[in-house]
Coordinates of all heavy atoms in Angstrom, one line a residue:
M1450 N -10.6 -5.4 13.0 CA -10.4 -6.2 11.8 C -9.6 -5.3 10.8 O -10.1 -4.3 10.4 CB -11.7 -6.7 11.3 CG -11.5 -7.6 10.0 SD -12.9 -8.5 9.5 CE -13.7 -7.2 8.6
N1451 N -8.4 -5.8 10.4 CA -7.7 -5.2 9.5 C -7.9 -5.5 8.1 O -7.1 -6.1 7.4 CB -6.3 -5.2 9.7 CG -5.8 -4.2 10.9 OD1 -6.6 -3.4 11.2 ND2 -4.8 -4.5 11.7
K1452 N -9.2 -5.3 7.4 CA -9.4 -5.7 6.1 C -9.4 -4.5 5.3 O -10.1 -3.4 5.6 CB -10.8 -6.3 6.1 CG -11.2 -6.8 4.7 CD -12.6 -7.5 4.8 CE -12.9 -8.1 3.4 NZ -12.5 -7.6 2.2
L1453 N -8.7 -4.4 4.2 CA -8.5 -3.4 3.3 C -9.9 -3.1 2.6 O -10.6 -4.1 2.0 CB -7.5 -3.8 2.1 CG -7.2 -2.5 1.4 CD1 -6.4 -1.5 2.1 CD2 -6.4 -2.9 0.1
N1454 N -10.3 -1.9 2.7 CA -11.4 -1.4 1.8 C -10.8 -0.8 0.4 O -10.3 0.2 0.4 CB -12.3 -0.3 2.6 CG -13.5 0.1 1.9 OD1 -13.4 0.3 0.6 ND2 -14.5 0.5 2.6
N1455 N -11.0 -1.7 -0.5 CA -10.4 -1.4 -1.8 C -10.9 -0.1 -2.5 O -10.1 0.7 -3.0 CB -10.7 -2.6 -2.8 CG -9.9 -3.8 -2.6 OD1 -9.1 -3.9 -1.6 ND2 -10.1 -4.8 -3.4
Q1456 N -12.2 0.1 -2.3 CA -12.6 1.5 -2.9 C -12.2 2.6 -2.1 O -11.8 3.7 -2.6 CB -14.2 1.4 -2.9 CG -14.8 2.6 -3.6 CD -14.3 2.7 -5.1 OE1 -14.4 1.8 -5.9 NE2 -13.7 3.9 -5.5
K1457 N -12.2 2.5 -0.7 CA -11.6 3.5 0.2 C -10.1 3.8 -0.2 O -9.7 5.0 -0.3 CB -11.8 3.2 1.6 CG -11.7 4.3 2.6 CD -11.5 3.8 4.0 CE -12.7 3.5 4.7 NZ -12.5 3.2 6.1
F1458 N -9.4 2.7 -0.4 CA -8.0 2.8 -0.6 C -7.9 3.6 -1.9 O -7.0 4.5 -2.0 CB -7.5 1.4 -0.7 CG -6.0 1.3 -1.2 CD1 -5.0 1.6 -0.1 CD2 -5.5 1.2 -2.5 CE1 -3.6 1.5 -0.4 CE2 -4.1 1.1 -2.7 CZ -3.2 1.3 -1.8
L1459 N -8.5 3.3 -2.9 CA -8.4 4.0 -4.3 C -8.8 5.4 -4.1 O -8.1 6.3 -4.7 CB -9.3 3.2 -5.3 CG -8.7 2.1 -6.2 CD1 -9.7 1.7 -7.2 CD2 -7.5 2.6 -6.9
D1460 N -9.9 5.7 -3.4 CA -10.4 7.0 -3.2 C -9.2 8.0 -2.5 O -9.0 9.1 -3.0 CB -11.6 7.2 -2.4 CG -12.8 6.6 -3.1 OD1 -12.7 6.4 -4.4 OD2 -13.8 6.3 -2.5
I1461 N -8.7 7.3 -1.5 CA -7.6 8.1 -0.8 C -6.3 8.3 -1.6 O -5.8 9.4 -1.6 CB -7.3 7.4 0.5 CG1 -8.5 7.4 1.5 CG2 -6.1 8.0 1.1 CD1 -8.3 6.5 2.7
I1462 N -5.9 7.2 -2.3 CA -4.8 7.3 -3.2 C -5.0 8.4 -4.2 O -4.2 9.2 -4.5 CB -4.5 6.0 -3.9 CG1 -3.9 4.9 -2.9 CG2 -3.6 6.1 -5.0 CD1 -2.5 5.4 -2.4
N1463 N -6.2 8.4 -4.9 CA -6.5 9.4 -6.0 C -6.5 10.9 -5.3 O -6.2 11.8 -6.1 CB -7.8 9.1 -6.5 CG -7.7 8.0 -7.6 OD1 -6.7 8.0 -8.3 ND2 -8.6 7.2 -7.7
Q1464 N -6.9 10.9 -4.0 CA -6.9 12.2 -3.4 C -5.5 12.7 -3.1 O -5.1 13.9 -3.2 CB -7.8 12.1 -2.2 CG -7.8 13.4 -1.3 CD -8.4 13.1 0.0 OE1 -9.2 12.1 0.2 NE2 -8.0 13.9 0.9
K1465 N -4.6 11.8 -2.5 CA -3.4 12.1 -1.9 C -2.2 12.1 -3.0 O -1.3 12.8 -2.6 CB -3.0 11.1 -0.8 CG -4.0 11.4 0.5 CD -3.5 10.6 1.7 CE -4.3 10.7 2.8 NZ -4.0 12.0 3.6
W1466 N -2.4 11.2 -3.9 CA -1.2 11.2 -4.8 C -1.3 12.4 -5.8 O -2.1 12.4 -6.9 CB -1.3 9.9 -5.7 CG -0.6 8.7 -5.1 CD1 -0.5 8.5 -3.8 CD2 -0.2 7.5 -5.7 NE1 0.1 7.3 -3.5 CE2 0.3 6.6 -4.7 CE3 -0.2 7.1 -7.1 CZ2 0.8 5.4 -5.0 CZ3 0.4 5.8 -7.3 CH2 0.8 5.0 -6.2
I1467 N -0.5 13.3 -5.6 CA -0.5 14.5 -6.5 C 0.1 14.2 -7.8 O -0.4 14.6 -8.8 CB 0.3 15.7 -5.8 CG1 -0.5 16.1 -4.5 CG2 0.6 16.9 -6.8 CD1 0.2 17.0 -3.7
N1468 N 1.2 13.6 -7.8 CA 1.8 13.0 -9.0 C 1.5 11.6 -9.2 O 2.2 10.7 -8.5 CB 3.4 13.3 -9.0 CG 4.0 12.9 -10.3 OD1 3.4 12.4 -11.3 ND2 5.3 13.0 -10.4
K1469 N 0.8 11.2 -10.1 CA 0.3 9.8 -10.3 C 1.2 9.1 -11.3 O 1.0 7.9 -11.5 CB -1.1 9.6 -10.6 CG -2.0 10.1 -9.4 CD -3.5 10.1 -10.0 CE -4.5 10.5 -8.8 NZ -4.3 11.9 -8.4
N1470 N 2.1 9.8 -11.8 CA 3.0 9.2 -12.9 C 4.1 8.3 -12.2 O 4.7 8.7 -11.2 CB 3.5 10.2 -13.8 CG 2.6 10.9 -14.6 OD1 1.5 10.4 -14.8 ND2 2.9 12.2 -14.9
C1471 N 4.4 7.2 -12.8 CA 5.4 6.2 -12.2 C 6.7 6.9 -12.4 O 7.1 7.6 -13.3 CB 5.5 5.0 -13.1 SG 6.8 3.8 -12.8
P1472 N 7.4 6.9 -11.2 CA 8.8 7.5 -11.2 C 9.8 6.9 -12.0 O 10.9 7.4 -12.3 CB 9.1 7.5 -9.6 CG 8.4 6.4 -9.1 CD 7.1 6.3 -9.9
M1473 N 9.6 5.6 -12.5 CA 10.5 4.9 -13.3 C 10.2 5.1 -14.8 O 11.2 5.5 -15.6 CB 10.4 3.4 -13.1 CG 10.7 3.1 -11.6 SD 12.4 3.3 -11.1 CE 13.3 2.1 -11.9
C1474 N 8.9 5.2 -15.2 CA 8.7 5.1 -16.7 C 7.7 6.5 -17.0 O 7.7 6.7 -18.3 CB 8.0 3.8 -17.1 SG 6.4 3.6 -16.5
G1475 N 7.2 7.0 -16.0 CA 6.3 8.1 -16.4 C 4.9 8.0 -16.7 O 4.1 8.8 -16.9
H1476 N 4.5 6.6 -16.8 CA 3.1 6.3 -17.2 C 2.2 6.4 -15.9 O 2.7 6.3 -14.8 CB 3.1 4.9 -17.8 CG 3.5 4.9 -19.2 ND1 4.9 5.0 -19.6 CD2 2.9 4.9 -20.4 CE1 5.0 4.9 -20.9 NE2 3.8 4.8 -21.5
N1477 N 0.9 6.5 -16.2 CA -0.1 6.5 -15.1 C -0.9 5.3 -15.3 O -2.0 5.4 -15.9 CB -0.8 7.8 -15.0 CG -1.8 7.8 -13.9 OD1 -1.8 6.9 -13.0 ND2 -2.7 8.7 -13.9
N1478 N -0.4 4.2 -14.9 CA -1.3 2.9 -15.2 C -0.9 2.0 -13.9 O -0.1 1.0 -14.2 CB -0.9 2.3 -16.5 CG -1.8 1.1 -16.9 OD1 -2.8 0.8 -16.1 ND2 -1.4 0.3 -17.9
W1479 N -1.5 2.2 -12.9 CA -1.3 1.4 -11.7 C -2.4 0.3 -11.4 O -3.4 0.5 -11.7 CB -1.2 2.3 -10.4 CG -0.2 3.3 -10.6 CD1 -0.2 4.7 -11.0 CD2 1.3 3.2 -10.1 NE1 1.0 5.3 -10.8 CE2 1.9 4.4 -10.5 CE3 2.0 2.0 -9.7 CZ2 3.3 4.6 -10.2 CZ3 3.3 2.3 -9.5 CH2 4.0 3.4 -9.6
N1480 N -1.8 -0.8 -10.8 CA -2.9 -1.7 -10.5 C -2.5 -2.3 -9.0 O -1.3 -2.2 -8.6 CB -2.8 -2.9 -11.5 CG -4.0 -3.7 -11.4 OD1 -5.0 -3.5 -10.7 ND2 -4.0 -4.9 -12.2
F1481 N -3.5 -2.8 -8.3 CA -3.3 -3.5 -7.0 C -4.2 -4.6 -6.8 O -5.3 -4.5 -7.4 CB -3.2 -2.5 -5.9 CG -4.6 -2.1 -5.4 CD1 -5.1 -2.5 -4.3 CD2 -5.4 -1.2 -6.2 CE1 -6.4 -2.1 -3.9 CE2 -6.6 -0.8 -5.8 CZ -7.1 -1.2 -4.6
D1482 N -3.8 -5.6 -6.1 CA -4.8 -6.8 -5.9 C -5.5 -6.8 -4.5 O -6.2 -7.6 -4.2 CB -3.9 -8.0 -6.1 CG -2.9 -8.2 -4.9 OD1 -2.8 -7.4 -4.1 OD2 -2.0 -9.2 -5.2
G1483 N -5.4 -5.8 -3.6 CA -6.1 -5.7 -2.4 C -5.4 -6.5 -1.3 O -6.0 -6.5 -0.3
N1484 N -4.4 -7.2 -1.6 CA -3.8 -8.1 -0.5 C -2.8 -7.3 0.3 O -2.2 -6.3 -0.1 CB -3.0 -9.3 -1.1 CG -3.8 -10.3 -1.8 OD1 -4.8 -10.7 -1.3 ND2 -3.4 -10.8 -3.0
I1485 N -2.8 -7.5 1.6 CA -1.9 -6.9 2.6 C -0.6 -7.8 2.6 O -0.7 -9.0 2.9 CB -2.4 -6.8 3.9 CG1 -3.8 -6.1 3.9 CG2 -1.4 -6.1 4.9 CD1 -3.7 -4.7 3.5
V1486 N 0.5 -7.2 2.4 CA 1.8 -7.9 2.5 C 2.7 -7.2 3.6 O 2.4 -6.1 4.0 CB 2.6 -8.0 1.1 CG1 1.7 -8.7 0.1 CG2 2.9 -6.6 0.6
S1487 N 3.7 -7.8 3.9 CA 4.7 -7.1 4.9 C 6.1 -7.6 4.7 O 6.2 -8.8 4.5 CB 4.2 -7.4 6.3 OG 5.0 -6.8 7.3
P1488 N 7.1 -6.7 4.9 CA 8.4 -7.3 4.9 C 8.7 -8.0 6.2 O 8.1 -7.7 7.2 CB 9.3 -5.9 4.8 CG 8.4 -4.9 5.3 CD 6.9 -5.3 5.0
M1489 N 9.7 -8.9 6.2 CA 10.0 -9.7 7.4 C 11.0 -8.8 8.2 O 11.8 -8.1 7.7 CB 10.6 -10.9 7.0 CG 9.7 -11.9 6.3 SD 10.6 -13.5 6.0 CE 9.2 -14.4 5.1
T1490 N 10.9 -8.9 9.5 CA 11.8 -8.2 10.4 C 13.0 -9.2 10.8 O 12.7 -10.3 11.1 CB 11.0 -7.8 11.7 OG1 9.9 -7.0 11.2 CG2 11.9 -6.9 12.6
M1491 N 14.1 -8.7 10.8 CA 15.3 -9.5 11.2 C 15.7 -9.0 12.6 O 15.8 -7.9 12.9 CB 16.4 -9.2 10.3 CG 17.6 -10.1 10.5 SD 18.9 -10.2 9.2 CE 18.6 -8.5 8.3
D1492 N 16.1 -10.0 13.5 CA 16.5 -9.7 14.8 C 18.0 -9.4 14.9 O 18.7 -9.4 13.8 CB 16.2 -10.7 15.8 CG 16.8 -12.1 15.5 OD1 17.9 -12.2 14.8 OD2 16.4 -13.2 16.0
D1493 N 18.6 -9.1 16.0 CA 20.0 -8.8 16.1 C 21.0 -9.8 15.6 O 22.1 -9.6 15.3 CB 20.4 -8.4 17.5 CG 19.5 -7.0 17.9 OD1 19.1 -6.3 17.0 OD2 19.5 -6.8 19.2
S1494 N 20.4 -11.0 15.6 CA 21.3 -12.2 15.3 C 21.2 -12.5 13.8 O 21.8 -13.3 13.3 CB 20.8 -13.5 16.0 OG 20.9 -13.2 17.4
G1495 N 20.4 -11.8 13.1 CA 20.3 -12.0 11.7 C 19.1 -13.0 11.3 O 19.0 -13.4 10.1
N1496 N 18.4 -13.4 12.3 CA 17.3 -14.4 12.0 C 16.0 -13.6 11.8 O 15.8 -12.6 12.3 CB 17.1 -15.4 13.3 CG 18.4 -16.1 13.6 OD1 19.0 -16.8 12.6 ND2 18.8 -16.0 14.8
I1497 N 15.1 -14.3 11.1 CA 13.7 -13.7 10.9 C 13.0 -13.7 12.2 O 13.0 -14.7 12.9 CB 13.0 -14.5 9.8 CG1 13.7 -14.4 8.5 CG2 11.5 -14.0 9.7 CD1 13.2 -15.2 7.4
Q1498 N 12.5 -12.6 12.5 CA 11.7 -12.5 13.8 C 10.2 -12.7 13.5 O 9.7 -11.9 12.6 CB 11.9 -11.0 14.3 CG 11.3 -10.6 15.6 CD 11.5 -9.3 16.0 OE1 12.7 -8.8 15.8 NE2 10.5 -8.6 16.6
L1499 N 9.7 -13.7 14.0 CA 8.3 -14.0 13.8 C 7.5 -13.6 15.1 O 8.0 -13.4 16.2 CB 8.0 -15.5 13.7 CG 8.6 -16.1 12.4 CD1 8.4 -17.6 12.4 CD2 8.1 -15.4 11.2
G1500 N 6.3 -13.1 14.9 CA 5.4 -12.6 16.0 C 5.5 -11.0 16.1 O 6.4 -10.6 15.4
G1501 N 4.8 -10.6 16.9 CA 4.8 -9.1 17.0 C 4.0 -8.3 16.0 O 3.4 -8.9 15.2
Q1502 N 4.3 -7.0 16.0 CA 3.6 -6.2 15.0 C 4.2 -6.3 13.7 O 5.4 -6.5 13.5 CB 3.5 -4.8 15.5 CG 2.6 -4.6 16.6 CD 2.3 -3.1 16.9 OE1 3.2 -2.2 16.7 NE2 1.1 -2.8 17.3
I1503 N 3.5 -6.2 12.6 CA 4.0 -6.0 11.3 C 3.7 -4.7 10.6 O 2.9 -4.0 11.1 CB 3.4 -7.1 10.3 CG1 1.9 -7.0 10.1 CG2 3.8 -8.5 10.9 CD1 1.4 -7.7 9.0
M1504 N 4.4 -4.4 9.6 CA 4.0 -3.2 8.8 C 3.2 -3.6 7.6 O 3.6 -4.3 6.8 CB 5.3 -2.5 8.2 CG 5.1 -1.2 7.4 SD 6.5 -0.7 6.6 CE 7.5 -0.1 8.0
P1505 N 1.9 -3.3 7.7 CA 1.0 -3.7 6.5 C 1.2 -2.9 5.3 O 1.3 -1.6 5.5 CB -0.5 -3.4 7.2 CG -0.2 -2.4 8.2 CD 1.2 -2.5 8.7
L1506 N 1.3 -3.5 4.2 CA 1.6 -2.8 3.0 C 0.7 -3.3 1.9 O 0.4 -4.4 1.8 CB 3.2 -2.9 2.6 CG 4.2 -2.4 3.6 CD1 5.5 -2.8 3.1 CD2 4.0 -0.8 3.6
V1507 N 0.3 -2.5 1.0 CA -0.3 -2.7 -0.3 C 0.5 -2.5 -1.4 O 1.1 -1.3 -1.5 CB -1.7 -1.9 -0.4 CG1 -2.4 -2.3 -1.8 CG2 -2.6 -2.2 0.7
A1508 N 0.8 -3.4 -2.3 CA 1.7 -3.2 -3.4 C 0.9 -2.6 -4.5 O -0.1 -3.1 -5.1 CB 2.3 -4.6 -3.9
M1509 N 1.5 -1.4 -5.1 CA 0.9 -0.8 -6.3 C 1.9 -1.1 -7.4 O 3.1 -0.7 -7.3 CB 0.9 0.6 -6.0 CG -0.1 1.2 -4.9 SD -1.9 1.0 -5.2 CE -2.1 2.1 -6.6
T1510 N 1.3 -1.7 -8.5 CA 2.3 -2.1 -9.4 C 2.1 -1.4 -10.8 O 1.0 -1.2 -11.2 CB 2.1 -3.6 -9.8 OG1 2.4 -4.4 -8.6 CG2 3.0 -4.1 -10.9
C1511 N 3.2 -0.7 -11.3 CA 3.0 -0.1 -12.6 C 2.9 -1.1 -13.7 O 3.8 -2.0 -13.9 CB 4.3 0.9 -12.8 SG 4.3 1.6 -14.4
M1512 N 1.8 -1.1 -14.4 CA 1.5 -2.1 -15.4 C 2.3 -1.8 -16.6 O 2.2 -2.6 -17.6 CB 0.0 -2.1 -15.8 CG -0.9 -2.4 -14.5 SD -0.3 -4.0 -13.6 CE -0.8 -5.2 -14.7
H1513 N 3.0 -0.7 -16.7 CA 3.8 -0.5 -18.0 C 5.2 -1.0 -17.7 O 5.8 -1.7 -18.6 CB 3.9 1.0 -18.3 CG 4.7 1.4 -19.5 ND1 4.1 1.1 -20.7 CD2 6.0 1.9 -19.7 CE1 5.1 1.5 -21.6 NE2 6.1 2.0 -21.0
C1514 N 5.9 -0.8 -16.6 CA 7.4 -1.2 -16.4 C 7.6 -2.1 -15.3 O 8.6 -2.5 -15.0 CB 8.2 0.2 -16.2 SG 8.1 0.9 -14.5
G1515 N 6.4 -2.4 -14.4 CA 6.6 -3.4 -13.4 C 7.2 -2.7 -12.1 O 7.4 -3.5 -11.2
N1516 N 7.4 -1.6 -12.0 CA 7.8 -0.8 -10.8 C 6.7 -1.1 -9.8 O 5.6 -0.9 -10.1 CB 8.0 0.7 -11.1 CG 8.5 1.3 -9.8 OD1 9.2 0.7 -9.0 ND2 8.1 2.6 -9.7
V1517 N 7.2 -1.4 -8.6 CA 6.2 -1.5 -7.4 C 6.5 -0.7 -6.3 O 7.7 -0.4 -5.9 CB 6.4 -3.0 -6.8 CG1 5.5 -3.3 -5.7 CG2 6.2 -4.1 -8.0
I1518 N 5.3 0.1 -5.9 CA 5.4 1.0 -4.7 C 4.4 0.4 -3.7 O 3.4 -0.1 -3.8 CB 4.8 2.4 -5.3 CG1 5.9 3.1 -6.2 CG2 4.6 3.3 -4.1 CD1 5.5 4.4 -6.7
F1519 N 5.1 0.5 -2.5 CA 4.2 0.0 -1.3 C 3.6 1.2 -0.6 O 4.3 2.2 -0.4 CB 5.1 -0.8 -0.3 CG 5.6 -2.1 -1.0 CD1 6.8 -2.3 -1.3 CD2 4.6 -3.2 -1.1 CE1 7.3 -3.5 -1.8 CE2 5.1 -4.4 -1.6 CZ 6.3 -4.6 -2.0
V1520 N 2.3 1.1 -0.3 CA 1.7 2.0 0.5 C 1.1 1.4 1.7 O 0.6 0.3 1.8 CB 0.4 2.6 -0.3 CG1 -0.3 3.6 0.5 CG2 0.9 3.4 -1.7
N1521 N 1.2 2.1 2.9 CA 0.8 1.6 4.2 C -0.6 2.0 4.4 O -0.9 3.2 4.6 CB 1.7 2.2 5.4 CG 1.3 1.6 6.6 OD1 0.2 1.2 6.9 ND2 2.3 1.5 7.5
P1522 N -1.6 1.1 4.3 CA -3.0 1.5 4.3 C -3.4 1.9 5.7 O -4.4 2.6 5.9 CB -3.8 0.2 4.0 CG -2.8 -1.0 4.4 CD -1.5 -0.3 4.2
L1523 N -2.7 1.6 6.8 CA -3.0 2.0 8.2 C -2.7 3.5 8.2 O -3.5 4.2 8.9 CB -2.0 1.2 9.1 CG -2.4 1.2 10.5 CD1 -3.8 0.8 10.9 CD2 -1.3 0.5 11.4
I1524 N -1.7 4.0 7.7 CA -1.3 5.4 7.7 C -2.4 6.3 7.0 O -2.7 7.3 7.5 CB 0.0 5.5 7.0 CG1 1.2 4.9 7.8 CG2 0.4 7.2 7.0 CD1 1.4 5.4 9.2
I1525 N -2.9 5.7 5.9 CA -3.9 6.6 5.1 C -5.3 6.3 5.5 O -6.2 6.9 5.0 CB -3.7 6.5 3.6 CG1 -3.9 5.0 3.1 CG2 -2.3 6.9 3.2 CD1 -3.9 4.8 1.7
G1526 N -5.6 5.3 6.3 CA -6.9 5.0 6.9 C -7.8 4.3 5.9 O -8.9 4.7 5.8
A1527 N -7.2 3.3 5.2 CA -7.9 2.5 4.2 C -8.5 1.3 4.7 O -9.1 0.5 3.8 CB -7.1 2.4 3.0
F1528 N -8.4 1.0 5.9 CA -8.9 -0.2 6.5 C -10.5 0.0 6.7 O -10.9 1.0 6.9 CB -8.3 -0.7 7.8 CG -7.0 -1.4 7.5 CD1 -5.8 -1.0 8.2 CD2 -6.9 -2.5 6.6 CE1 -4.5 -1.6 8.0 CE2 -5.6 -3.2 6.4 CZ -4.6 -2.7 7.1
E1529 N -11.2 -1.2 6.7 CA -12.6 -1.1 6.8 C -13.1 -0.3 8.0 O -14.1 0.4 7.9 CB -13.3 -2.6 7.0 CG -13.2 -3.4 5.7 CD -14.2 -3.0 4.6 OE1 -15.0 -2.1 4.8 OE2 -14.2 -3.7 3.7
N1530 N -12.3 -0.5 9.2 CA -12.9 0.1 10.4 C -12.2 1.5 10.7 O -12.5 2.0 11.7 CB -12.5 -0.8 11.6 CG -10.9 -1.1 11.7 OD1 -10.2 -0.8 10.8 ND2 -10.6 -1.6 12.7
Q1531 N -11.7 2.0 9.7 CA -11.1 3.4 9.9 C -11.9 4.4 9.3 O -12.5 4.2 8.2 CB -9.6 3.4 9.2 CG -8.6 2.7 10.0 CD -7.3 2.8 9.5 OE1 -6.9 2.4 8.2 NE2 -6.3 3.2 10.2
G1532 N -12.0 5.7 9.8 CA -12.6 6.7 9.3 C -11.8 7.3 8.1 O -10.7 6.9 7.9
M1533 N -12.4 8.2 7.3 CA -11.7 8.9 6.2 C -11.2 10.2 6.4 O -10.9 10.9 5.5 CB -12.6 8.8 4.9 CG -12.9 7.5 4.3 SD -13.7 7.6 2.7 CE -12.5 8.3 1.6
D1534 N -11.0 10.5 7.8 CA -10.7 11.9 8.1 C -9.2 12.2 8.1 O -8.8 13.3 8.5 CB -11.4 12.2 9.4 CG -10.9 11.3 10.5 OD1 -10.4 10.2 10.2 OD2 -11.3 11.4 11.7
K1535 N -8.4 11.1 7.8 CA -7.0 11.4 7.8 C -6.4 12.0 6.6 O -7.0 11.8 5.5 CB -6.2 10.0 8.0 CG -6.3 9.5 9.4 CD -5.2 8.4 9.5 CE -5.0 8.1 11.1 NZ -3.9 7.1 11.3
Ligands
ZN664 ZN1 6.4 2.5 -14.6

C-alpha cells in the first residue's frame, strides 16, 4: 500500500534538506497536503499514456511566494510500509 506517512515524510525532509530556504524567495515556510500527485506520461504519438507505473510526487509549496517543489516519497522511503533506513 502506497500511503504517505506524513510524519515520516516531514522527519525525512527535515533530516535530508540541508538548505530549507526556498530557492525563489529565500524564506523557509513550506507546506504540503499529503496527497500523492503524478505528472502524465506522453507516448511517442504525443498522446497521454494511461496505465503502467507512475512517478509518485508530493508537492511542497512555499507559502511566501508560491514556488512548488516536488519530492518523490518512494525515493526517500516515506510511505507507510517503508523503513526509515534510506
Ligand atoms: Zn518562496
Side-chain angles (χ1 to χ4, degrees):
M1450 182 170 82
N1451 285 339
K1452 184 180 186 328
L1453 187 72
N1454 182 322
N1455 288 0
Q1456 188 57 53
K1457 193 197 281 189
F1458 180 80
L1459 269 182
D1460 290 346
I1461 297 170
I1462 287 294
N1463 278 323
Q1464 174 197 337
K1465 289 186 181 280
W1466 278 22
I1467 292 168
N1468 180 4
K1469 296 177 176 64
N1470 295 334
C1471 173
M1473 302 296 285
C1474 72
H1476 284 74
N1477 178 9
N1478 186 9
W1479 298 97
N1480 199 6
F1481 76 106
D1482 61 10
N1484 290 320
I1485 304 294
V1486 299
S1487 182
M1489 291 185 190
T1490 304
M1491 190 168 23
D1492 65 19
D1493 293 341
S1494 305
N1496 299 310
I1497 293 170
Q1498 183 182 320
L1499 294 177
Q1502 289 194 322
I1503 64 160
M1504 178 189 293
L1506 298 172
V1507 176
M1509 301 286 295
T1510 302
C1511 174
M1512 300 310 287
H1513 183 74
C1514 77
N1516 182 30
V1517 177
I1518 288 177
F1519 291 106
V1520 175
N1521 186 330
L1523 193 59
I1524 299 295
I1525 62 172
F1528 282 125
E1529 292 282 4
N1530 58 351
Q1531 291 184 299
M1533 289 191 70
D1534 54 351
K1535 282 199 168 181

